[in-house]
Amino acid sequence: MRVLTHCLSFGKPRSLIGLWLGLSGLLIAIALLSLLYGAGDVGPARAWQALQDLGAAASYDSEARFVIAELRAPRLWIGLVVGAALGIAGALLQAVTRNPLAEPGLLGVSAGAAFAVTLAILWGADTATLRVSVAQLGALGGCLCVLAAARLQGIGNDPVRLILAGAILSGLLHSLSSLILLYDQYTADEIRFWVVGSLAGRQLDDLAPLFPSLGVAALLTILLARPLAALALGEHVAIGLGHHPRVVRLLVIVVVALLVGGATAAAGPIAFVGLVVPFAARALAGPDIRRTLWLCLPLGPIVVVSADIVSRLVVPPSELPLGVLTALIGAPVLIGVVRGRRLPTF
């Protein structure tokens, strides 16, 4: 416990705890809305009654109970996990590249995971377990490309040029994935809905393969929080405090690959969550990465689950892909950050 407190120590704890509790309360309210307004022909009143009956041995409305337990609850749980993973991954990626515009979807990390899954399905893989590991390897390849681009002279120090380099990588990987889908009809049928990013049709079984790698990522994130905060003060300062910047960067890249690859395997590539969530967290709690990570934990699920609720309501009885909604939310944030007089610093 003392190690955990040391790694995640931060200034002004009372204000951060208040923010965290407030956001957690908001997340609970949004999660309840997700169960009341969701897939299946069951209105909010019937859904509320079914929720009250979930603890009972029998229910007067078996249809509503089925819809809540089998359709809406799994979708909600996956949204919570995916939102937290993408939010924390975005914060870590922005910290290690020292670039407030760094986002897994924009820099090609998610596209790398999607391309790896497309290749795996083309070669005959179709199990969820294999898809997770393959997606994480693809995300790791995308992360290494990001890190290499960030260290190129003239690109790593320019946030906009780094985003352009990432956009080129993403475009290339998306084009290659599209070529494979056009070439092979089986692969296209397997990932037609997955590739646009969506929580529709996901089951709780899809989460089970994620937990081992996400557990490792959570532990590494706790251990890396303090070295990252020192690295934000400069490489020489971090070395003077006893940290090893190269090791820290390598471990952060591994954590980002585990988080983004796992989230992409569960819900497909979802862009802009890793940009919007850390941006909002820094606006609320300041630039300290330890405070940002704490707030990303509830903020990520808030963004993803809220977007999923809206995606069900705008074009009934159909629904928009979740990736479309997050793009509509994230694009104005990206434009606002780029057009700002002074980009936020770490």
Side-chain angles (χ1 to χ4, degrees):
M1 181 58 71
R2 291 184 62 185
V3 173
L4 179 65
T5 305
H6 178 72
C7 292
L8 295 180
S9 61
F10 44 78
K12 301 179 181 178
R14 289 184 180 177
S15 60
L16 182 61
I17 291 173
L19 275 172
W20 196 86
L21 291 177
L23 291 172
S24 298
L26 176 61
L27 176 59
I28 292 173
I30 291 173
L32 180 60
L33 286 177
S34 177
L35 295 175
L36 296 180
Y37 297 90
D41 189 19
V42 173
R46 288 179 62 193
W48 176 249
Q49 186 61 49
L51 283 174
Q52 293 178 315
D53 291 343
L54 279 180
S59 173
Y60 293 107
D61 193 341
S62 57
E63 180 188 4
R65 186 170 182 162
F66 174 83
V67 167
I68 296 294
E70 302 297 330
L71 297 181
R72 298 181 185 180
R75 188 166 173 161
L76 170 63
W77 282 111
I78 292 176
L80 296 176
V81 173
V82 168
L86 291 178
I88 291 174
L92 291 174
L93 195 57
Q94 291 172 15
V96 77
T97 60
R98 301 175 64 85
N99 186 336
L101 297 179
E103 198 271 337
L106 292 176
L107 294 185
V109 181
S110 299
F115 180 64
V117 171
T118 304
L119 280 180
I121 294 177
L122 175 66
W123 292 335
D126 57 0
T127 63
T129 303
L130 179 59
R131 199 172 70 186
V132 171
S133 58
V134 169
Q136 289 170 337
L137 285 175
L140 180 60
C143 285
L144 293 176
C145 291
V146 171
L147 197 60
R151 300 184 72 83
L152 288 177
Q153 185 69 28
I155 292 183
N157 297 328
D158 188 334
V160 177
R161 292 182 68 184
L162 181 61
I163 292 301
L164 291 176
I168 293 172
L169 175 64
S170 293
L172 175 63
L173 293 175
H174 282 306
S175 299
L176 292 175
S177 298
S178 299
L179 282 176
I180 292 174
L181 298 183
L182 290 173
Y183 170 75
D184 187 83
Q185 186 61 43
Y186 169 76
T187 306
D189 293 338
E190 282 287 316
I191 64 172
R192 180 177 302 165
F193 296 103
W194 175 84
V195 78
V196 294
S198 175
L199 300 181
R202 301 317 197 255
Q203 298 298 321
L204 284 178
D205 292 343
D206 297 331
L207 280 179
L210 304 182
F211 287 138
S213 57
L214 294 187
V216 172
L219 178 60
L220 288 175
T221 300
I222 292 172
L223 297 175
L224 288 169
R226 196 171 185 85
L228 275 176
L231 198 57
L233 301 175
E235 193 161 318
H236 295 296
V237 175
I239 294 174
L241 292 173
H243 302 298
H244 304 280
R246 289 187 178 180
V247 176
V248 171
R249 291 192 183 96
L250 179 61
L251 290 177
V252 168
I253 290 302
V254 171
V255 171
V256 171
L258 292 176
L259 293 173
V260 176
T264 305
I270 300 175
F272 289 109
V273 176
L275 173 71
V276 173
V277 172
F279 182 78
R282 282 194 300 274
L284 290 172
D288 191 321
I289 183 63
R290 294 163 292 185
R291 299 166 64 87
T292 300
L293 289 173
W294 268 111
L295 291 191
C296 286
L297 205 56
L299 276 172
I302 286 174
V303 171
V304 170
V305 176
S306 299
D308 187 48
I309 294 173
V310 175
S311 73
R312 304 165 184 168
L313 300 178
V314 290
V315 287
S318 301
E319 61 180 70
L320 287 176
L322 177 60
V324 175
L325 263 296
T326 57
L328 291 175
I329 296 171
V333 175
L334 175 63
I335 294 171
V337 174
V338 172
R339 287 179 59 86
R341 288 185 176 182
R342 182 170 177 268
L343 290 173
T345 57
F346 295 93

